[in-house]
Amino acid sequence: MPVVPDVSAILGQALDDEDATFAESVIATISRDEAIVPTLFWYEIRNVLVMAERRKRIAPARTTAFLTDLALLPFSVDDLPREASVLDLARRRALTVYDATYLELAQRLDAPLATLDRDLMAAAKKEGIALFKSKSTK
């Protein structure tokens, strides 16, 4: 079954100062199954990595290598979120529209959501959306 990961779910694999355990589990699942992400995922991951470069948390060469490795994984891009549903989720669950986009996608596809974002996890639980469980948390 495909998983819907947000950036927080895989970022630990790129940044040495973060625990990579969850990210490794998400990436292993993606490599076996598939990930479905909204278009904004690709912009968001690049933005987070460039911000990390500016804070000296990652070198530009590591950013390039990470993005190259990420591109090898079986990601599908969903570029047509249901706008009304995204806005409704953002309003009802006090989320950013960006986070609500991941939530809407997981809800629409009935796919587990992989995230480390506490607000997004709480919203997913309230919406009855399954959360990805790493092998270490099963």
Side-chain angles (χ1 to χ4, degrees):
M1 166 184 267
V3 63
V4 176
D6 74 349
V7 170
S8 73
I10 62 168
L11 193 59
Q13 185 68 33
L15 301 174
D16 292 335
D17 60 350
E18 300 230 355
D19 182 357
T21 307
F22 186 75
E24 289 168 356
S25 184
V26 172
I27 289 169
T29 298
I30 292 169
S31 67
R32 280 191 317 272
D33 298 325
E34 179 188 22
I36 302 176
V37 294
T39 303
L40 72 93
F41 173 88
W42 295 106
Y43 296 99
E44 188 177 17
I45 192 78
R46 284 168 174 81
N47 185 65
V48 169
L49 290 168
V50 167
M51 293 293 110
E53 286 176 13
R54 290 180 187 164
R55 293 181 181 101
K56 307 293 186 212
R57 293 180 66 201
I58 188 172
R62 176 71 182 118
T63 293
T64 300
F66 179 72
L67 291 171
T68 299
D69 291 345
L70 207 57
L72 298 174
L73 294 172
F75 282 92
S76 293
V77 177
D78 179 274
D79 57 356
L80 296 173
R82 294 188 178 143
E83 183 178 351
S85 296
V86 170
L87 293 174
D88 177 59
L89 287 167
R91 290 173 178 137
R92 283 190 303 107
R93 301 297 177 205
L95 296 171
T96 65
V97 170
Y98 307 113
D99 286 348
T101 301
Y102 291 99
L103 192 62
E104 184 274 334
L105 181 58
Q107 187 174 55
R108 180 166 32 98
L109 299 178
D110 194 25
L113 176 68
T115 185
L116 291 174
D117 182 294
R118 291 176 196 238
D119 292 337
L120 190 50
M121 285 191 282
K125 288 178 183 176
K126 289 177 182 173
E127 292 295 321
I129 297 168
L131 291 171
F132 175 86
K133 302 283 187 201
S134 71
K135 290 180 181 177
S136 63
T137 60
K138 282 187 177 177

